[in-house]
Amino acid sequence: MEPASHSFEELLDFTLKRMEAMKKEGVRWVSVNPDWLSPLEPANYHSPVQEREKSDSTSPSAPPTPRSREVPPLSGLQKPALKTGERKIDSSGPETANPTSSRNQLAAPKAKTKPLDLQKLSDQELNAGMDRLRAEALQCQKCPHLAESRRNVVFGVGNINADLMFVGEAPGMDEDLQGEPFVGKAGQLLTKIIEAMGLSREEVYIGNALKCRPDTPGQAYGNRKPTPDEIANCLPFIEKQVELIRPKALVALGASAVEALYGEKVYITRIRGQRRDYRGIPLMPTFHPSYLLRNSSHAVKRLVWEDMLEVMEILGMPISEKQQGYFKK
Ligand code: URA
């Protein structure tokens, strides 16, 4: 019998369908050799035709990578040239990027690193600065496709004098409709987390790295991860918000928020809970609430809660025994 011959696209299509089916069956993780994923990362992907046409071997060799790692089904297989339709790309949980690889650096402009003057601004300076920034954001056209598709620019909400500021990824459908960050299901969970800390939404400030909902042409539902260019275009807004508010602590919700603020690729599973410094402000990276919605195990909730306990400590907030014990068995 003749061995079946399949084109690359057929094999990829088959793999995607199989993984979609596994995902429906509840499979959340599969072991994949990173060497197999590497060619599928957008920066590395060449169509089979391009691959054949590439006659020289000037591409840099891949950095050493672990022999195998766990990735969510589909997450390593996103690439722009496929015709398989739009898929939800989720950046709130474990990542697929290799943080040691230089090709994972985000597009310019570089994230700011200069330490901030953390002395709070006067109310007058703060209000004027925030009003100016909001006005600028509301008429921003730097991403014409997003300016075209958005219903609202989702600038930020809360206390501009806050000691605690949360940074998320980008508005979803609910946020786009209401013009306020974190009002959908993930937002309701974030509100609960804030309240469990003994605070209210009104006392903290909540913003996103991207102020417009990433468009999903042809789809009423679904989210996608912002592109590096979109993040780069929008970065000055969140940077300026931090510069104006000068919070005593920052919480970055999910990988995209960390990546935007630091201009580097990260695995959120590796860095969550590891307190960082953002221009002189302590920053706690933690899982995005939408990741918690999908992975509602006690253990994962406890991890996020431990991150919040540390943030409370940074802020010098009292922590009750009840709060200490949340999500402990
Ligand atoms: N997810 C985010 O990252 N931001 C929002 O505002 C809503 C959902």
Side-chain angles (χ1 to χ4, degrees):
M1 212 166 78
E2 281 236 306
S5 132
H6 296 289
S7 72
F8 173 84
E9 300 292 349
E10 280 172 326
L11 288 171
L12 195 52
D13 214 41
F14 172 80
T15 308
L16 286 169
K17 282 191 183 125
R18 179 72 197 112
M19 294 184 94
E20 289 278 18
M22 286 165 70
K23 202 174 178 188
K24 276 198 193 118
E25 286 160 13
V27 177
R28 287 288 167 263
W29 302 100
V30 291
S31 278
V32 182
N33 182 327
D35 295 345
W36 302 343
L37 287 179
S38 163
L40 296 174
E41 284 172 11
N44 288 349
Y45 177 73
H46 304 286
S47 72
V49 175
Q50 284 173 306
E51 207 55 70
R52 275 194 296 277
E53 284 170 352
K54 208 172 60 169
S55 53
D56 62 358
S57 57
T58 50
S59 60
S61 56
T65 49
R67 291 311 303 161
S68 97
R69 58 194 160 97
E70 297 233 293
V71 298
L74 297 176
S75 62
L77 297 172
Q78 311 295 339
K79 64 182 182 60
L82 287 180
K83 289 177 283 174
T84 44
E86 292 232 16
R87 278 164 214 289
K88 184 170 176 185
I89 303 174
D90 184 356
S91 52
S92 60
E95 296 294 297
T96 55
N98 172 3
T100 60
S101 166
S102 60
R103 67 172 174 266
N104 286 324
Q105 297 306 309
L106 295 182
K110 276 231 157 299
K112 286 192 190 169
T113 54
K114 196 174 158 221
L116 292 169
D117 175 0
L118 296 177
Q119 184 79 26
K120 290 267 186 195
L121 291 171
S122 72
D123 283 353
Q124 203 188 3
E125 283 172 308
L126 182 51
N127 283 317
M130 206 53 104
D131 287 350
R132 258 199 313 273
L133 191 64
R134 180 187 291 274
E136 206 185 309
L138 294 193
Q139 55 187 19
C140 178
Q141 304 280 331
K142 280 195 209 159
C143 307
H145 56 297
L146 300 187
E148 170 86 15
S149 62
R150 73 189 173 211
R151 292 181 177 91
N152 279 296
V153 172
V154 182
F155 180 68
V157 74
N159 176 9
I160 58 176
N161 256 309
D163 284 341
L164 177 56
M165 176 169 172
F166 290 84
V167 180
E169 179 183 86
M173 189 180 65
D174 296 307
E175 291 76 20
D176 178 49
L177 282 171
Q178 295 182 44
E180 183 173 327
F182 284 99
V183 289
K185 282 207 174 102
Q188 287 157 25
L189 181 53
L190 177 62
T191 304
K192 279 191 191 161
I193 294 171
I194 293 168
E195 286 170 359
M197 296 170 82
L199 297 166
S200 67
R201 259 178 92 95
E202 293 71 34
E203 283 174 282
V204 302
Y205 193 85
I206 308 173
N208 280 311
L210 184 66
K211 307 292 186 222
C212 297
R213 182 187 181 203
D215 60 345
T216 51
Q219 278 181 221
Y221 295 97
N223 294 313
R224 72 165 169 83
K225 184 178 161 110
T227 66
D229 282 346
E230 289 165 349
I231 291 289
N233 285 341
C234 218
L235 187 60
F237 289 116
I238 193 73
E239 285 179 334
K240 192 77 194 178
Q241 282 170 307
V242 176
E243 281 168 27
L244 288 167
I245 295 169
R246 305 180 178 186
K248 294 195 168 64
L250 281 157
V251 174
L253 301 163
S256 292
V258 183
E259 290 174 357
L261 292 174
Y262 292 92
E264 68 185 45
K265 276 277 184 191
V266 295
Y267 289 117
I268 194 68
T269 43
R270 288 192 193 158
I271 61 149
R272 77 126 275 287
Q274 291 172 20
R275 178 172 158 179
R276 293 182 157 213
D277 175 277
Y278 178 77
R279 305 174 70 193
I281 302 172
L283 178 144
M284 180 59 72
T286 196
F287 290 132
H288 193 284
S290 66
Y291 179 62
L292 287 184
L293 288 175
R294 296 189 320 277
N295 300 270
S296 55
S297 74
H298 242 58
V300 173
K301 283 183 187 158
R302 177 69 198 176
L303 289 178
V304 172
W305 183 242
E306 277 169 13
D307 299 343
M308 296 307 104
L309 288 176
E310 191 165 336
V311 170
M312 289 170 73
E313 260 175 47
I314 293 169
L315 294 173
M317 292 172 65
I319 301 178
S320 68
E321 261 182 47
K322 192 173 163 198
Q323 283 173 320
Q324 282 288 4
Y326 285 155
F327 306 112
K328 270 195 176 157
K329 278 195 203 124

